[in-house]
Amino acid sequence: MSAPTPPRLLDLAGRHLLRAEDLDVSTLESVPTELFPPLFLEAFDGYRTETLKAMVQTWPFVRLPLGALIDLPHVGPLQAVLEALDVLLAQKVRSRRCKLRVLDLRKTGQNFWSMWSGASSYGCSGSRMAAVAEPRSMTRQPSTPLKVFLDLCLKKRTLDNFLTYFLRWVEQRKSSIHLCCKKLKIVSMPMDKIVKVLSAVQLDCIQEVQVSCTWSLSTLATLAPFLGEMSNLQRLHLSHVHVSAFKKQEHDHVVQITSQFRRLGHLRDLHLESPSFLEGCLDQMLRSVPSVNPVVKALSVRDGVVLYSWFLRHVSLEPGLARDWMVRLISVFVATFCLSAVCNLAPGSQELIAWFLPRCLRSPLDSLSITKCRLTESDLTHVSQSPDISQLKSLDLSGVPMTDFRPELLQVLLEKVAATLQEVDLDACGITDSQLEAFLPALSRCSQLRAVSLCGNLLSTAVLEKLLRHTAVLPCLRQERYPAPQESYRPRGVLLEARLARLRAQLLEILRDLGRPRIIWISLSPCPRCGEDVCHHMEPIVYSCPAPA
């Protein structure tokens, strides 16, 4: 039987320190780095506030992931940490030992604590970390503000005690604290409280916003200027925005909202559920391809830039109007000529181009979801023509009525995204046989397509057979959801179960004839269980190729 491994001297030192009373800054100056996390955990769990304050002031890591340890809004020893930060921020010089630049209150950092605080020792093996005492010399307080990360979920009518206290703490230290929120979720809170929260946050840090409550258009218009300042926003989810009967006022709100959307240069995922205000207004939200004047298009690059430079020097307009005209002119030149030529030969345009590029040459969308609302044919045409969808991977237009749309509209849209599209959801759009037949060739060219859903549409067995044959060539397709054929119902929509069973068998024969393993789901409409437009309770039709003899 082998003898147990004796404890390291470092382990013994750590146990001795943990048995001590409150530790002060001078003692912590000589404590090895790898002992800080287990000592901090012990002080945190034991509510040893004086030790916590001293450890924050000598914290040897850039980041303190406190959110993994606390259960908000029960702050417990968090207040001691904030008080220690006050001391730290007030110091003109601080210990070189202290590297703290980020206080992370998100539910992250579990890996940090587990890595540095293993069950059998106070850290990782000596080969993976430098566990040496650092010199006690002092360094000047860094000029960069301390960043505090906190994900926000606003789901109450009033701010809770923690958030009220914390926002007041941040507000009083604006020059030295930057409150950074990567994810913002709004479930239920009055707009004046939301404005109070957003006024304390660095808006350019926000990357994801989800609004899951029912708002009027005027309420969303109040939020719009804050959205426009979220220059690094990547995901936006809005739901249930209602329009009142006051058309002129609501039109002004729509303009105010859509103008801010164009400022979101890093937006990748846009999800709008029941946006009743969007009908006829998508051209104000998504970018357009700038129209190029034929005369300008006929110019050489040098002649065009000379004309552009002359405009910069000699045309005098009001400031706001001038900027609007300049942006239009830059759009034309960028679309017609080489951007570098514009920059090099017309040096007076640098400031305007720097302002223009994030707005007009922004990243295209990965995902576009506009559901449960009415759109016009011009809306769908604009979507097809917008550079925002040039690399689209996911398209969801479920619940958008299209029965009366020209058949070629969806064909053009799918052709534009055929090279990148991976998911398409056109549930409950009222799509007819003629419309589906028009866009089937375009759908079959979506070579990256993984999932397609057409439930709740008015399709016959014959067209479903064409659909199965066209999609059989798609190598990545794994999820297929289609409506039960029209022949499965009586004229008033009553389901004929025996006929549905025969049609399912007929579809299975088609899959067998195509000779490729596939699983398809056939959805009833409405669902006999829950009454929803789309039924997800049906057994799939499965075809597996027989094993070779």
Side-chain angles (χ1 to χ4, degrees), residues 62-65 99-104 146-149:
V62 172
R63 177 170 167 262
L64 175 56
K99 301 290 193 299
L100 185 60
R101 300 291 180 272
V102 175
L103 174 64
D104 197 339
L146 177 77
K147 291 186 177 181
V148 180
F149 283 93

Side-chain angles (χ1 to χ4, degrees), residues 30-308:
S30 58
V31 170
T33 299
E34 64 182 289
L35 285 184
F36 263 75
L39 285 172
F40 190 92
L41 288 174
E42 180 73 15
F44 195 91
D45 292 338
Y47 288 80
R48 296 165 65 172
T49 57
E50 294 305 315
T51 298
L52 281 177
K53 292 178 183 179
M55 295 196 76
V56 169
Q57 295 176 57
T58 52
W59 190 247
F61 306 97
V62 172
R63 177 170 167 262
L64 175 56
L66 200 60
L69 307 180
I70 60 178
D71 183 20
L72 296 177
H74 306 293
V75 294
L78 174 60
Q79 187 170 353
V81 173
L82 298 183
E83 290 175 3
L85 289 177
D86 283 337
V87 175
L88 199 63
L89 294 171
Q91 293 174 345
K92 293 184 178 180
V93 292
R94 65 170 60 166
S95 165
R96 181 170 295 179
R97 186 70 185 276
C98 183
K99 301 290 193 299
L100 185 60
R101 300 291 180 272
V102 175
L103 174 64
D104 197 339
L105 298 180
R106 299 171 296 178
K107 293 298 181 182
T108 60
Q110 289 84 354
N111 290 341
F112 172 88
W113 298 110
S114 60
M115 180 185 77
W116 287 90
S117 307
S120 59
S121 69
Y122 293 99
C124 302
S125 63
S127 62
R128 291 180 58 190
M129 63 178 66
V132 294
E134 299 184 18
R136 297 189 188 184
S137 57
M138 310 299 282
T139 183
R140 283 200 168 273
Q141 164 82 338
S143 58
T144 55
L146 177 77
K147 291 186 177 181
V148 180
F149 283 93
L150 175 66
D151 288 337
L152 291 169
C153 181
L154 308 180
K155 57 184 179 181
K156 296 182 179 179
R157 298 294 299 171
T158 58
L159 297 175
D160 58 44
N161 291 337
F162 161 72
L163 203 52
T164 301
Y165 166 78
F166 183 71
L167 291 177
R168 186 183 302 117
W169 183 83
V170 171
E171 178 67 25
Q172 293 170 352
R173 297 155 182 82
K174 263 191 172 181
S175 60
S176 53
I177 296 287
H178 279 181
L179 179 56
C180 301
C181 169
K182 293 292 185 71
K183 296 181 180 180
L184 170 65
K185 184 176 182 179
I186 303 173
V187 178
S188 176
M189 183 170 281
M191 182 52 67
D192 62 321
K193 300 293 192 301
I194 296 173
V195 169
K196 182 178 181 180
V197 172
L198 293 180
S199 299
V201 173
Q202 293 292 121
L203 296 176
D204 58 354
C205 288
I206 298 178
Q207 296 180 1
E208 183 175 336
V209 172
Q210 180 177 351
V211 178
S212 301
C213 49
T214 301
W215 276 354
S216 66
L217 196 59
S218 60
T219 304
L220 180 58
T222 304
L223 182 70
F226 293 96
L227 279 177
E229 294 298 321
M230 299 176 190
S231 56
N232 290 300
L233 189 66
Q234 297 178 20
R235 297 180 181 87
L236 176 61
H237 182 140
L238 297 177
S239 61
H240 304 295
V241 179
H242 294 296
V243 180
S244 72
F246 300 100
K247 296 296 184 181
K248 174 61 173 70
Q249 184 180 7
E250 296 292 35
H251 174 74
D252 294 341
H253 290 324
V254 170
V255 172
Q256 184 178 355
I257 294 165
T258 55
S259 64
Q260 300 300 327
F261 273 81
R262 287 177 175 261
R263 300 180 62 188
L264 304 179
H266 293 89
L267 191 65
R268 305 307 297 264
D269 298 332
L270 177 59
H271 185 120
L272 304 174
E273 182 181 351
S274 304
S276 56
F277 66 93
L278 265 190
E279 184 176 3
C281 299
L282 266 180
D283 61 323
Q284 300 176 35
M285 180 175 293
L286 299 177
R287 289 180 300 163
S288 302
V289 177
S291 57
V292 180
N293 188 296
V295 175
V296 174
K297 197 170 183 178
L299 295 173
S300 68
V301 173
R302 178 169 293 277
D303 289 342
V305 172
V306 168
L307 175 62
Y308 172 72

Side-chain angles (χ1 to χ4, degrees), residues 524-537:
L524 300 178
S525 183
C527 175
R529 290 192 189 180
C530 61
E532 295 289 333
D533 289 338
V534 176
C535 178
H536 298 291
H537 307 298

Side-chain angles (χ1 to χ4, degrees), residues 8 18 21 24 26 30 38 92 134 247 250 263-264 272 290 295 319 342 360-361 371 379 436 469 486 500 502 509:
R8 299 180 303 162
L18 291 175
E21 295 299 323
D24 57 22
S26 61
S30 58
K92 293 184 178 180
E134 299 184 18
K247 296 296 184 181
E250 296 292 35
R263 300 180 62 188
L264 304 179
L272 304 174
V295 175
V342 175
C360 301
L361 299 182
T371 64
D379 287 328
L436 182 62
R469 295 189 183 279
Q486 284 183 291
L500 175 62
R502 290 195 298 272
E509 285 301 315

